[in-house]
Structure formats: C-alpha cells, structure tokens
Amino acid sequence: MISALNHWILNKNITGSYRGILFSDSMSDDRHSAEFVAHTTRALQLIEQVDPRRFFYTQREILYIVNDPLLTVGAYHGASRCCSIDFLRYRSSLEQSAPDYEWYIASYASVIVHEATHGRIYRFGIPYNSKTWERVERLCHKEQKRFTAHIESENYNFKSMGGEFDPIAWRNSRRMSRFQQIKKRLSRMREIEAADK
C-alpha cells in the first residue's frame, strides 16, 4: 500500500500526463520538466503506435512515471505503481534535431516497457528476491527486446537494441552495500548538478 506521504510527494510534483499515466518530476526544474513531459509523452506514443498490447500493459501497471536520479536508468515500485526513470541520462540525446533521436526515444520507450513488465510480474505475486531476481530481469529484458523488434525504421535495426541479457552486470549492482548505494546515488546527484552549470 502506498503511504500517504509518498502519494502526496508524487502528486505534488505532477507536471503532465498521457492517457492516465501521470508524470511526476522530483528534480523541480521547469526547463527539465518540460523536456521530461515532452519526451516521456513521445516514448509512450511510440509504445502505443507500434505495440498496442504492451501499451495496454504499460497503462495498467504504471500510474506514475517519475523523473528521479537513480543508480540505473529505471526502477519499478509495485505498491505505488511507480516507474522511476533517470531522465537526465537521456536528456542530451533527446533533442529532436539530434541525429540519433529516433534511437534514443526507442531506447527510452523500451525502458518503460521493461519497468511495466516488472509491474505485470509484481501483479502476479512473484517476489523479487535473491532467488528470483535473475529470472525476473531476464524476462523484463526479453519483453524490452520484443517491443523494439516491432519498431520499423529506415535508419536503425531496432532488433539489435539492448543486446543480450548480462546477469554479471546485474549481480555486481545487487552486491553493493546500502552505504555504497547511497554513495553512488549522491555521486549521481552531483553529476546532475555539474551538468546543469
């Protein structure tokens, strides 16, 4: 169950929405918020256009997409149906005039599909723990790849996006202590502040 405080924080920072999915920006910068809303909307539209079935799952499993500094590009929180995205990792590549915009908007959309798949798994009551995490992440990665295989493009072969699932990278991330995670997150926040100067 989502706590009243979490619910208040998420709703306090609402900056936009698309088809019932609310955008909440914890970074509190108007310029970044406008970019976050525009590109998140475009990523959701891409999912809806090329893969309506996965868009249905995305709508059902995600109530909030939150711009939040993370250790990875995305995270899913089942109790709040919240998909956190470290949007600022994408920001510089998501200028519509950028030559690789099409690639990065597809990559961003695929991360949303990945996190929505976590939501489906959570809905089925499958835990995310030391025994199940690899199977869960492998399945989410597979769904991400299935989504990108639907995207047709003259410029890119989206079937190659994401490569093969690499459990070693995930294991290394999971082995970090709580202190290491906090340290890395603080470092990420400093990176964001430096990039904005």
Side-chain angles (χ1 to χ4, degrees):
M1 181 99 176
I2 183 170
S3 74
L5 178 60
N6 282 344
H7 188 72
W8 180 81
I9 290 168
L10 287 167
N11 284 300
K12 177 181 178 290
N13 295 314
I14 297 296
T15 54
S17 68
Y18 183 74
R19 300 217 187 269
I21 300 172
L22 304 171
F23 307 151
S24 181
D25 194 345
S26 69
M27 300 306 290
S28 301
D29 180 304
D30 290 343
R31 180 172 50 90
H32 295 169
S33 286
E35 293 170 352
F36 171 61
V37 168
H39 299 307
T40 304
T41 299
R42 179 65 195 108
L44 289 168
Q45 288 170 336
L46 179 64
I47 300 168
E48 185 177 28
Q49 288 163 8
V50 304
D51 197 338
R53 186 172 67 88
R54 285 185 177 82
F55 183 71
F56 169 77
Y57 294 139
T58 299
Q59 274 187 301
R60 189 175 68 184
E61 307 305 343
I62 296 176
L63 177 59
Y64 299 97
I65 296 179
V66 181
N67 178 16
D68 203 13
L70 300 170
L71 303 181
T72 60
V73 292
Y76 185 78
H77 314 283
S80 56
R81 290 171 49 213
C82 176
C83 166
S84 293
I85 298 282
D86 192 337
F87 175 74
L88 297 184
R89 292 180 192 267
Y90 288 98
R91 187 183 65 201
S92 62
S93 303
L94 284 174
E95 295 298 324
Q96 287 196 338
S97 59
D100 50 3
Y101 174 80
E102 184 184 7
W103 179 268
Y104 279 98
I105 204 72
S107 175
Y108 185 26
S110 78
V111 170
I112 294 171
V113 168
H114 179 111
E115 300 309 331
T117 305
H118 275 291
R120 288 183 70 198
I121 293 167
Y122 177 85
R123 179 187 288 268
F124 286 121
I126 298 168
Y128 188 88
N129 57 35
S130 59
K131 293 179 181 176
T132 63
W133 74 266
E134 187 171 334
R135 286 176 58 203
V136 168
E137 291 298 348
R138 193 177 294 277
L139 179 58
C140 293
H141 184 79
K142 192 179 286 187
E143 282 297 292
Q144 213 174 335
K145 301 247 333 148
R146 286 176 178 154
F147 161 70
T148 57
H150 283 81
I151 305 173
E152 295 179 6
S153 169
E154 295 177 4
N155 303 313
Y156 298 104
N157 175 12
F158 285 110
K159 289 179 180 148
S160 68
M161 180 176 272
E164 294 302 313
F165 177 73
D166 180 10
I168 294 168
W170 285 97
R171 270 190 212 108
N172 292 341
S173 175
R174 289 183 57 78
R175 286 184 182 141
M176 277 195 285
S177 69
R178 192 80 173 136
F179 174 75
Q180 289 171 316
Q181 290 175 8
I182 291 168
K183 188 176 174 185
K184 191 170 179 183
R185 187 161 174 154
L186 289 172
S187 174
R188 176 69 189 129
M189 291 172 84
R190 283 194 294 273
E191 283 173 19
I192 291 168
E193 288 170 11
D196 285 340
K197 289 181 181 172

